[in-house]
Amino acid sequence: MASLNIVLVVVDSLRRDSLGAFNPAYGFTPRLDERLAGWHKFDRCYGSAPWTLPAISSILSGIDASRHGRYFHEGNGFEVTHLLPAGYRKIGVVNNPNLEPGSLGFQSGFDEYHYLPPADWEAPFARACEAIRGGSDGNPFFLFFHTNLPHDYMAANCKEHYEACFPDRRDWFRLGSGYLAWTDQTASERRRIRSLYDACVHRLDAQLSRLVDAVDRDSTVVCITGDHGEGFDYDLGRIHHGGRVHDDLINVPLCFHLPPSTAPALVERMGRRRSDPVASTDIVPTLLELAGQPQASATDGRSIASTQFDPSRVITSEDRRYLYLPSRERLNVNRDGKGTTRAARMRNRVLGRTAARHHNLKAFIQGPYKLIVTSFSPPSSASSLVAPAIRRMVPVGSTLLRVGPAWVALELFDVSVDPEEVHNLFTGRTGTELVTFLAERMPMLQDMTVFLGDRERGIAGVIENAVDGS
């Protein structure tokens, strides 16, 4: 039997609730909904990081962001495309600057790799459709297509999408550099920001529908997913992306088309796991198995269709570069950062030398529970002096603990009953009670670690040795 083609579509900043297939109350995706009927959709797919560079590195490689460490714009020797199948014509079409050909090596392993700047939102779809229709001279093809379209709701060309989506409105405005904090926006503009994004998703719907129509679905396995989501909760300081690991940023839509020739056992296992937590690192291993290709070893991901898939494992998501503050300002403590004011850049530099000299935020997902650990490691000589700053930097509603010179903020949510993640289950608990409470709900976390100071340390030990930091 001939090998099946593979099409992997990754949409930048695609919230799970923005596709009607995942949110019936949302009314802007009728065309795509029709085409996704009968696809296998997964309710809880978690991205490995809350922004594009580390998230795409994990999707393509099957390696957790915690392990590949690609949070900065320089190469680190990591082979990001080692999972791409041999014997396939491999094509990449991307239009996010994080994925440009260069030192990060995203183009390595592809036979063709096309980067088109984000200002031209139509050209990437046209190039992807051309690749699909062009065939592969008798060989199967693997297409990786990444579109920046929803991400650019803050850009000037969003006006075209907005007026097409809302023809009766005359209230479009350019969010521009205010996308990082919304601090210069009026209350009415803040209420409209989600509509700017929705308009881009509406445009995406039409374009993706045409792309799906171009696919020979009898001979092609197709996956549509997001690299991360987008935040719109101003009051909780949960806006934009990067620097947080709440579900609005890391729980992304995931859906697969299986050709009619797919083995019944694979179809059954895919259907049975719809509500299980899955990881973005599982995506390419799943595509390979569905296409009849051998599974690569030494990956963190597992095929969702495999008998080896473990729904009780711990899934992680991490960011080592950005940090979103309750003041609704995202700090990039490792560089000056784009879209920031001069005052914000000065705060970046001060915090990068003091309270946030080393910081890390990491989510652990197991079953219905999700633990978020935000850690800070200021210089030991300054730890007491920076305490007020630490308290202003921790997420709203978190439990703050001090471990020697370091600080950790903890949030535990049961997302099955609290999908908005507003009720921290650690509130009112201290000391060993926290350890016991966590162990009863997430037993595998005993073997998990967080970054504290200059090394990884076990979560249980961190909590046991902590004192109340309030």
Side-chain angles (χ1 to χ4, degrees):
M1 184 178 70
S3 297
L4 295 171
N5 301 314
I6 300 172
V7 173
L8 170 57
V9 177
V10 184
V11 181
D12 203 315
S13 307
L14 187 65
R15 285 175 61 102
R16 184 181 171 276
D17 67 3
S18 63
L19 286 184
F22 289 86
N23 182 5
Y26 187 75
F28 285 130
T29 56
R31 294 187 62 188
L32 192 56
D33 278 355
E34 179 182 342
R35 284 149 182 80
L36 295 181
W39 289 41
H40 288 265
K41 307 175 188 73
F42 293 84
D43 297 326
R44 299 182 64 201
C45 175
Y46 288 96
S48 192
W51 60 286
T52 295
L53 170 57
I56 293 295
S57 297
S58 289
I59 289 174
L60 289 179
S61 69
I63 302 296
D64 286 336
S66 299
R67 288 214 296 133
H68 65 59
R70 288 163 62 92
Y71 296 97
F72 309 98
H73 290 91
E74 61 263 357
N76 62 356
F78 179 73
E79 175 100 26
V80 70
T81 56
H82 71 279
L83 275 184
L84 299 187
Y88 276 62
R89 176 181 169 226
K90 295 174 277 289
I91 310 159
V93 179
V94 303
N95 78 319
N96 182 301
N98 280 297
L99 308 181
E100 278 189 84
S103 62
L104 290 172
F106 283 106
Q107 77 283 0
S108 175
F110 285 96
D111 300 301
E112 301 176 30
Y113 194 81
H114 307 281
Y115 168 72
L116 300 102
D120 189 345
W121 59 270
E122 292 181 289
F125 288 94
R127 182 62 64 89
C129 287
E130 178 184 320
I132 290 169
R133 294 191 180 104
S136 52
D137 299 325
N139 292 320
F141 67 85
F142 178 103
L143 171 65
F144 166 58
F145 174 51
H146 182 276
T147 171
N148 216 49
L149 185 56
H151 180 286
D152 289 338
Y153 67 95
M154 75 287 293
N157 62 10
C158 166
K159 184 177 182 180
E160 176 186 350
H161 311 321
Y162 191 81
E163 292 177 345
C165 186
F166 304 109
D168 298 329
R169 297 189 189 179
R170 296 292 182 270
D171 59 355
W172 178 84
F173 71 100
R174 182 176 178 180
L175 181 57
S177 60
Y179 70 93
L180 280 181
W182 303 10
T183 50
D184 297 324
Q185 312 306 320
T186 66
S188 62
E189 286 174 334
R190 289 173 188 158
R191 288 192 295 269
R192 291 203 304 277
I193 290 174
R194 176 63 193 262
S195 294
L196 304 179
Y197 174 88
D198 290 343
C200 292
V201 175
H202 183 231
R203 181 74 76 180
L204 169 77
D205 168 63
Q207 295 294 321
L208 275 187
S209 296
R210 294 188 186 102
L211 188 145
V212 170
D213 285 347
V215 174
D216 178 358
R217 278 166 277 176
D218 286 343
S219 62
T220 308
V221 182
V222 186
C223 173
I224 298 176
T225 189
D227 54 3
H228 56 79
E230 191 72 3
F232 295 99
D233 193 331
Y234 180 80
D235 292 331
L236 287 178
R238 297 180 184 179
I239 54 180
H240 195 43
H241 57 263
R244 291 191 297 106
V245 284
H246 297 99
D247 266 21
D248 59 335
L249 296 195
I250 64 169
N251 185 9
V252 296
L254 175 66
C255 40
F256 289 89
H257 163 72
L258 279 57
S261 60
T262 306
L266 299 181
V267 176
E268 188 275 332
R269 285 194 288 270
M270 291 285 284
R272 176 161 33 100
R273 290 165 180 163
R274 169 173 180 157
S275 298
D276 291 334
V278 302
S280 63
T281 53
D282 299 331
I283 292 173
V284 172
T286 302
L287 288 169
L288 294 177
E289 177 157 15
L290 295 173
Q293 298 302 304
Q295 292 288 292
S297 58
T299 63
D300 296 310
R302 293 290 182 272
S303 168
I304 302 168
S306 169
T307 57
Q308 305 302 312
F309 182 81
D310 180 8
S312 67
R313 68 188 165 151
V314 175
I315 295 172
T316 64
S317 184
E318 185 169 358
D319 195 357
R320 299 178 189 171
R321 176 167 174 171
Y322 297 110
L323 182 66
Y324 236 114
L325 308 183
S327 61
R328 296 166 296 280
E329 183 173 275
R330 186 181 73 166
L331 292 181
N332 178 354
V333 299
N334 303 100
R335 296 180 59 172
D336 285 343
K338 64 180 180 180
T340 57
T341 64
R342 180 178 180 182
R345 289 193 292 272
M346 292 182 65
R347 284 191 290 273
N348 277 349
R349 287 191 282 272
V350 170
L351 289 171
R353 290 171 172 80
T354 56
R357 186 184 65 169
H358 296 296
H359 83 276
N360 179 260
L361 59 153
K362 191 169 184 178
F364 302 88
I365 300 100
Q366 185 181 25
Y369 293 102
K370 179 177 175 188
L371 172 69
I372 299 177
V373 182
T374 306
S375 62
F376 305 89
S377 300
S380 56
S381 59
S383 60
S384 59
L385 300 176
V386 300
I390 294 286
R391 295 187 184 103
R392 289 193 297 270
M393 294 166 66
V394 300
V396 174
S398 61
T399 297
L400 181 63
L401 303 175
R402 184 171 173 179
V403 191
W407 299 74
V408 292
L410 303 177
E411 301 168 88
L412 180 66
F413 304 106
D414 180 346
V415 296
S416 67
V417 297
D418 180 22
E420 302 299 319
E421 296 170 303
V422 295
H423 302 293
N424 180 10
L425 298 177
F426 278 155
T427 300
R429 305 177 194 278
T430 59
T432 56
E433 185 184 4
L434 288 172
V435 179
T436 303
F437 187 80
L438 181 61
E440 290 173 348
R441 286 152 183 81
M442 303 178 75
M444 292 179 68
L445 277 177
Q446 299 304 311
D447 299 323
M448 299 290 116
T449 60
V450 294
F451 182 81
L452 205 63
D454 57 355
R455 63 188 177 92
E456 297 273 339
R457 300 190 184 183
I459 291 175
V462 167
I463 297 175
E464 287 173 345
N465 290 294
V467 297
D468 186 3
S470 61

